[in-house]
């Protein structure tokens, strides 16, 4: 496999100098293997690992603001331990380390995983896949949990994140128990598997079982929910990679960074979280409305360019000079904060692709009409 992909990627890089490569839908061992193999020598990005992690981190940042307990007191339970799940969790760990100054070992200890054999522990008795070892529990003693329900009682999580592709894995019993365990704060429930036929639960189910208190994001689109008692209409968050991989690609094309670092991806997450409007924040939403996606894409791409310049990764002199002359007002160091300046945003907007509104608009310049 790697010999074949090495030939393909080497040929692509030779034929198209400066190409930006996006890895998509490789199985878990190959997804991590390809990224590790190429990330420091080629401009590349894995959407399943880094893209999913980035967009979910943005939603998680928003959820922590609203949950009602300090970041360091959260206990996060993942259901599903493939490349996407582990990739998301590692980015959440990085966020807790960078943003909240929690030591890595302590931050890592805030996460638990459940796979098809139950809670992942170092002494479970089976040979763990390489990517699962980092999060395997060593503090469980002789306790082994055989399924999600058992693990829920053991962990008492504040956040439940599903990347299992198991339809209805978050059933009424699980959702109700999450609500009971988080009676003093708002439960965070992210059923991220898609399509709907693989989603761990729906928005309506999560709302009903948590007395409408849930902080919710899903991988697939769900309809709005009208609270029967009040008539209030609540909009579910959709933690879909569509928010991040287009601006990452645009930012990479413009700034031409030497490589895509974890801190660049972190800046993307921060920028997406920062892009919520005051109305969206007031409504308790975790992501910007989809109607604003072109607006937020430009903002995220601008933040990406700024971070690439700050880290000394950018190679396009135009953007290096522009960022240097127009530093983001909140940027005091290379720390990824998702900020950008207005001049950089304006230049990004000029370079964004825009769909033609008619066939005439599309063809007129080419045919000189």
């Amino acid at each position: 496999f790697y010999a074949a992909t090495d030939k393909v990627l080497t040929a692509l890089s030779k034929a198209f100098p400066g190409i930006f490569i996006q890895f998509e839908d490789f199985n878990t061992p190959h997804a991590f293997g390809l990224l590790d193999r190429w990330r420091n020598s080629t401009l590349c990005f894995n959407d399943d690992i880094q893209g999913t992690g980035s967009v979910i981190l943005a939603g998680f940042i928003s959820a922590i603001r609203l949950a009602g307990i300090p970041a360091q007191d959260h206990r996060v339970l993942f259901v599903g331990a493939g490349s996407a799940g582990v990739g998301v969790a590692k980015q959440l760990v990085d966020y807790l380390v960078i943003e909240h100054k929690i030591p890595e070992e302590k931050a890592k200890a805030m996460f638990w995983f459940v796979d098809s054999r139950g809670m992942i522990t170092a002494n479970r008795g089976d040979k763990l896949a390489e990517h699962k070892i980092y999060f395997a529990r060593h503090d469980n003693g002789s306790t082994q949990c055989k399924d999600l329900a058992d693990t829920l009682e053991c962990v008492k999580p504040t956040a439940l994140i599903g990347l299992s592709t198991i339809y209805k894995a978050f059933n009424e019993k699980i959702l109700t128990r999450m609500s009971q365990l988080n009676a003093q704060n708002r439960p965070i429930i992210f059923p991220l598997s898609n399509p709907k036929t693989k989603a761990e639960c729906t928005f309506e189910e999560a709302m009903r079982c948590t007395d409408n208190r849930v902080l919710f994001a899903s991988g697939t689109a769900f309809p709005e929910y009208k609270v029967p008692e009040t008539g209030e209409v609540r909009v579910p968050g959709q933690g879909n990679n569509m928010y991040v991989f287009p601006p990452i690609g645009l930012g990479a094309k413009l700034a031409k960074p030497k490589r895509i670092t974890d801190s660049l991806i972190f800046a993307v997450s921060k920028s997406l979280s920062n892009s919520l409007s005051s109305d969206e924040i007031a409504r308790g939403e975790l992501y910007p409305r989809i109607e604003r996606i072109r607006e937020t894409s430009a903002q995220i791409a601008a933040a990406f360019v700024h971070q690439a310049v700050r880290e000394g990764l950018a190679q396009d002199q135009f953007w290096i000079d522009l960022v240097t002359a127009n530093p983001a007002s909140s940027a005091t160091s290379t720390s990824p904060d998702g900020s950008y300046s207005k001049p950089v945003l304006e230049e990004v907007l000029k370079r964004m692709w825009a769909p033609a509104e008619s066939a005439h608009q599309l063809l007129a310049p080419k045919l000189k009409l």
Side-chain angles (χ1 to χ4, degrees):
F1 172 83
Y2 289 111
T5 53
D6 284 354
K7 288 181 180 179
V8 171
L9 294 174
T10 300
L12 285 172
S13 299
K14 184 177 179 180
F16 305 101
I19 188 174
F20 174 64
I21 296 171
Q22 178 171 315
F23 297 120
E24 189 85 34
D25 289 341
F26 286 91
N27 65 21
T28 296
H30 288 154
F32 281 102
L34 280 172
L35 186 60
D36 290 342
R37 197 178 185 96
W38 286 92
R39 66 182 305 173
N40 291 318
S41 60
T42 301
L43 190 59
C44 65
F45 161 80
N46 185 294
D47 190 41
D48 301 304
I49 298 171
Q50 296 165 293
T52 301
S54 178
V55 76
I56 301 312
L57 172 55
F60 190 73
I61 292 171
S62 300
I64 281 182
R65 293 178 188 146
L66 300 168
I69 57 175
Q72 64 268 22
D73 292 340
H74 279 278
R75 297 179 301 281
V76 186
L77 177 57
F78 274 78
V79 183
S83 60
V86 173
V88 168
K90 285 188 173 180
Q91 291 194 42
L92 298 188
V93 169
D94 288 344
Y95 161 72
L96 293 167
V97 171
I98 295 170
E99 190 80 359
H100 295 279
K101 312 304 179 188
I102 301 173
E104 182 182 351
E105 284 303 309
K106 187 174 180 181
K108 183 177 75 170
M110 295 165 61
F111 293 80
W112 287 257
F113 273 81
V114 170
D115 64 9
S116 59
R117 297 183 177 221
M119 184 170 71
I120 296 178
T121 65
N123 62 348
R124 193 168 66 175
D126 59 324
K127 182 175 173 57
L128 295 177
E130 184 68 27
H131 69 279
K132 297 181 182 182
I133 293 174
Y134 180 81
F135 285 106
R137 304 300 301 192
H138 292 264
D139 58 354
N140 59 299
S142 60
T143 301
Q144 303 293 341
C145 301
K146 67 180 185 300
D147 55 24
L148 173 56
D150 281 354
T151 308
L152 201 72
E153 294 303 323
C154 177
V155 175
K156 296 179 171 53
T158 59
L160 184 62
I161 299 179
L163 282 157
S164 65
T165 69
I166 299 174
Y167 183 62
K168 303 291 186 184
F170 301 168
N171 56 35
E172 183 175 348
K173 180 180 177 182
I174 295 294
L175 293 171
T176 301
R177 187 59 179 144
M178 271 295 292
S179 183
Q180 294 168 348
L181 290 169
N182 294 279
Q184 304 304 315
N185 52 277
R186 298 179 67 181
I188 299 171
I189 299 175
F190 285 12
L192 300 175
S193 297
N194 56 55
K196 290 181 182 179
T197 53
K198 294 185 178 181
E200 286 82 6
C201 70
T202 67
F203 182 46
E204 179 180 351
E205 290 163 349
M207 288 287 285
R208 284 193 292 100
C209 292
T210 62
D211 296 323
N212 310 314
R213 297 182 305 114
V214 67
L215 293 167
F216 180 96
S218 58
T220 190
F222 285 111
E224 298 174 341
Y225 177 74
K226 188 174 183 178
V227 180
E229 295 80 6
T230 65
E232 178 189 3
V233 175
R234 296 276 295 276
V235 179
Q238 186 181 359
N240 192 291
N241 296 20
M242 65 187 173
Y243 281 112
V244 297
F245 74 79
I248 288 172
L250 177 59
K253 178 67 176 175
L254 297 177
K256 298 180 174 61
K258 299 170 188 174
R259 57 190 175 276
I260 305 296
T261 61
D262 290 340
S263 48
L264 270 173
I265 300 300
F266 185 87
V268 166
S269 299
K270 288 283 289 182
S271 182
L272 176 56
S273 179
N274 294 343
S275 71
L276 285 161
S277 69
S278 56
D279 287 343
E280 289 161 347
I281 293 171
R283 290 192 294 264
E285 296 174 12
L286 304 185
Y287 293 100
R289 294 290 179 99
I290 192 66
E291 293 82 5
R292 296 201 302 114
I293 195 166
R294 286 185 61 81
E295 174 189 341
T296 61
S297 290
Q299 294 169 358
I300 294 167
F304 180 100
V305 170
H306 267 273
Q307 186 63 27
V309 173
R310 286 180 207 153
E311 292 186 36
L313 295 170
Q315 300 180 95
D316 189 289
Q317 198 60 47
F318 172 82
W319 296 100
I320 294 172
D321 292 343
L322 187 62
V323 169
T324 303
N326 300 277
S329 57
S330 62
T332 57
S333 68
T334 59
S335 178
D337 62 0
S339 61
Y340 56 86
S341 64
K342 185 177 179 181
V344 170
L345 176 61
E346 289 172 347
E347 291 298 326
V348 167
L349 284 165
K350 291 177 185 177
R351 291 158 175 79
M352 282 183 68
W353 173 84
E357 296 181 0
S358 66
H360 181 271
Q361 183 186 19
L362 176 66
L363 297 174
K366 298 178 182 179
L367 302 178
K368 299 180 180 181
L369 298 177

